[in-house]
Amino acid sequence: MDIPTTPTDNNGLPSSETQTNRRRRKKSIVWEYFTIETVGAGSTKAFCKQCKRSFAYITGSKLAGTSHLKRHIALGICPVSRQKNQMTPFTPGSKTGATDAPKRRSRANSGYARVSFDQERCNHDIAKMIIMHGYPLHIAEQLGFINFVQTLQPQFNLVSGNTVQNECVGIYLREKQNLLNLISGIPGKVSLTVDLWTSNQNLGYVFLTGHFIDDHWNLYRQILNVVMVPSPDSGDTFSQAILTCLSDWHLEGRLFTLTLDQSLSNETIIGNLKGLLSVKNPHMLNSQLLLRNCYARVLSSLACDVLVAMRETIAKVRESVKFVKTSESHEEKFVQLKQQLQVPSTKNLSVDDLTKWDTTYHMLVAACELREVFACLDTYDPDYNINILLEEWKQVETLCTYLKLLFDAANIVTAPVYPSANVFFQEVSRIQMELMHAAMSVDPFVSYLMRPLYEKFDKYWENCCLVLAVAVIMDPRYKMKIVELEFNRIYGENAETWIRIVDDGIHELFLDYMMQMLTLPETPMDEGNDSIIKTEAPEEASQEGSLLSSVDGLQDFELYISDITGGQQMKSELDQYLEEAFTDRVEDFDVLVWWRLNRIKYPTLSRMASDILSISVSTVASDSVFDTEIKRMDSYRTSLGPATLEALICAKDWLKYGSFPPPPAL
């Protein structure tokens, strides 16, 4: 390969054009700050006059240019230049001390000297970055991070891990106050979910998440507390953690429901929490608003049970997939055979992750589509010697049918926006009915596989069906009729009893809300006349007040009796709502928007609906819905103090949604 040389004239000297170009380059303003020296054959370097650092300039026939030299001065990278604060800032395209503006300036470099550096803002942004991405607090002290930041901004002063920690806690406290203002301003109640993480030190970490709807009918799901507990098996541990949460967020008397992680469902813990709920929420269906099991964890438990029941066959499929995916030559032969057999498939083969049951489901579905290829693979690739029988493939297909049922049901809670409670009744009742039919199947394999699942899920259904039924009644597309339909399918001739329980329950709940909403009207009174009444005619004032109170009390009593007896003169909001026509079932229907638009028509019922629709049936985050194991706190996080750990986890959750809105104006 020919190397281009510098053009010369007839005498062997550089041509005039080359000399002109070099003179033009030499006139650059950077040469006020740099000198050029030859350091070897064909190598010339530029040296900073202040810090003496060398930079590539000419190497052989390659000219490095001056952009990197300009950055050295313009960005303050030169340490000597940075220390000389009195020195006039360098602006590309101008000379030191020159008063005339240059004729042409590079738009990319013209703002270097005008950018003001804000150390406090940098500290804040580093702390925010650490919170949002879960980086360790000491990242600001690591050499790689320091070099990177100083390359971008040499003026940045190094910060210690303690400084970063304090900044993170400061962000947490500011966001906590904003969230506290928001919660204090909501008209309704707050439901809590309780989830348990563990650690290698056998410590427990209780995650308490609040679910509520604000006065604009926006649904919130926010981690409120992360409480470290030394004895996760203690019955009093979780009651104390909940009491801490209620105290921190001023929720005494505002707790609506509790939803528990499945691992907390021992009778001692349940007994303690039922007692707590009945004290903190005495008139809400006699503590029946305690959901003993997490929806997502129940589905994961069912999936794990059925996968274990077929573990030997699944292991064969897994080894077959590994054979294809862990060798390029094996995968190439597999693809060639698939093309020869013309086997259609829409799924890609992938080895499953044993900690996520949905990955096993996807692996089995993809393998079933390609079972014809696997059946012939031993003749095409002699290294393959796994024998999966036709009957085993049929069993895997049956398994995938029921895993799909669980997968679709679990997918509801994987969306970034958590769904309102009305969507769960139909999914849960569908699973109950499908498993019941499968358990009674005439196919012995299906019955064997599904009966244990039905028995486990039936206990979950029994615990949650009342709450879920009340929630779906708050959906104007379905109301009570969907409950009647599903209960008739599930309970048959006994359906009427269960329908009556739900009907009585929702009317009882509405009466509780109505009594809470009824308040004696205050008589408007001028402050000046108030003293006259008290001094000149106390008896008349007392009698008048007593008379007004009696009248108002009778009005409240008549309304109360009317709702209890279902009198013809005045129907309750609940009865009016149930008797009105159904709302059309459209794809983009938003139940929260509907209640926001109808809150004036149904003032009491809408307050009840906001609390019911904010109930959460799942305790885990969307990225943990398919987990097969309880979450474990990593060793770095367990090394942090409890307060710091809580601050980092809560602030990360809050920052996902930006800043919380200000409280409503009074």
Side-chain angles (χ1 to χ4, degrees), residues 65-208:
T66 59
S67 297
H68 61 307
L69 307 182
K70 292 177 183 178
R71 288 194 294 269
H72 181 69
I73 299 299
L75 296 181
I77 297 175
C78 176
V80 178
S81 174
R82 191 165 68 243
Q83 293 173 3
K84 295 181 179 180
N85 296 327
Q86 72 277 10
M87 188 179 72
T88 303
F90 170 81
T91 303
S94 64
K95 292 185 178 182
T96 304
T99 57
D100 296 334
K103 294 181 180 180
R104 299 181 64 186
R105 298 180 64 184
S106 169
R107 293 182 64 185
N109 297 329
S110 61
Y112 288 154
R114 299 181 183 179
V115 177
S116 60
F117 173 68
D118 189 339
Q119 179 72 40
E120 291 185 2
R121 175 65 183 272
C122 286
N123 292 349
H124 174 82
D125 285 345
I126 288 175
K128 192 173 180 181
M129 174 193 74
I130 288 172
I131 291 172
M132 293 178 66
H133 302 290
Y135 298 141
L137 291 171
H138 57 268
I139 189 176
E141 298 175 337
Q142 294 176 348
L143 181 61
F145 180 79
I146 293 171
N147 291 340
F148 173 70
V149 173
Q150 288 194 330
T151 300
L152 297 177
Q153 177 49 263
Q155 298 181 51
F156 176 76
N157 293 322
L158 304 183
V159 293
S160 66
N162 289 335
T163 301
V164 172
Q165 177 175 323
N166 293 336
E167 189 68 40
C168 290
V169 173
I171 293 174
Y172 160 75
L173 292 175
R174 287 190 291 272
E175 293 298 322
K176 181 176 182 179
Q177 186 59 54
N178 293 336
L179 180 56
L180 183 59
N181 293 339
L182 175 64
I183 293 177
S184 299
I186 66 172
K189 299 179 182 295
V190 175
S191 291
L192 290 179
T193 57
V194 185
D195 193 28
L196 176 66
W197 289 29
T198 60
S199 71
N200 292 332
Q201 293 80 15
N202 199 30
L203 296 173
Y205 295 86
V206 181
F207 282 63
L208 294 126

Side-chain angles (χ1 to χ4, degrees), residues 221-402:
R221 172 191 175 101
Q222 307 291 162
I223 298 177
L224 301 182
N225 292 91
V226 179
V227 182
M228 188 184 76
V229 292
S231 302
D233 299 328
S234 171
D236 297 329
T237 293
F238 301 98
S239 297
Q240 190 58 48
I242 292 170
L243 290 174
T244 298
C245 178
L246 298 181
S247 175
D248 281 357
W249 296 93
H250 305 165
L251 294 176
E252 292 87 352
R254 302 180 66 192
L255 176 63
F256 188 54
T257 66
L258 280 175
T259 305
L260 306 180
D261 171 21
Q262 188 176 8
S263 62
L264 308 181
S265 295
N266 70 59
E267 293 307 317
T268 302
I269 294 175
I270 293 298
N272 289 342
L273 293 182
K274 272 191 174 182
L276 172 66
L277 189 59
S278 63
V279 171
K280 296 298 179 181
N281 197 355
H283 39 241
M284 292 301 173
L285 296 181
N286 193 26
S287 300
Q288 292 183 69
L289 298 182
L290 173 67
L291 302 181
R292 301 178 56 159
N293 288 311
C294 165
Y295 172 76
R297 290 270 170 84
V298 168
L299 297 180
S300 293
S301 177
L302 297 180
C304 289
D305 287 350
V306 75
L307 291 174
V308 168
M310 287 191 59
R311 57 186 176 276
E312 294 180 1
T313 303
I314 293 173
K316 288 185 178 182
V317 176
R318 182 180 294 113
E319 290 303 315
S320 296
V321 175
K322 284 183 179 180
F323 175 85
V324 174
K325 299 301 294 183
T326 56
S327 169
E328 291 184 3
S329 62
H330 293 165
E331 186 168 16
E332 183 178 350
K333 292 178 181 178
F334 187 86
V335 172
Q336 291 174 354
L337 179 58
K338 174 189 170 185
Q339 292 172 348
Q340 289 181 15
L341 297 174
Q342 297 182 347
V343 176
S345 65
T346 59
K347 308 291 184 182
N348 294 322
L349 282 178
S350 60
V351 182
D352 62 334
D353 176 357
L354 296 182
T355 66
K356 298 279 188 180
W357 68 265
D358 61 317
T359 63
T360 305
Y361 164 67
H362 291 307
M363 178 188 73
L364 296 176
V365 169
C368 280
E369 287 190 352
L370 297 166
R371 64 180 184 179
E372 293 181 34
V373 185
F374 282 111
C376 301
L377 187 58
D378 58 342
T379 61
Y380 198 80
D381 188 339
D383 293 334
Y384 180 75
N385 56 8
I386 302 172
N387 183 26
I388 304 177
L389 303 175
L390 178 60
E391 183 63 26
E392 290 176 321
W393 280 117
K394 290 181 179 180
Q395 291 177 355
V396 171
E397 283 188 330
T398 300
L399 170 64
C400 289
T401 300
Y402 291 99

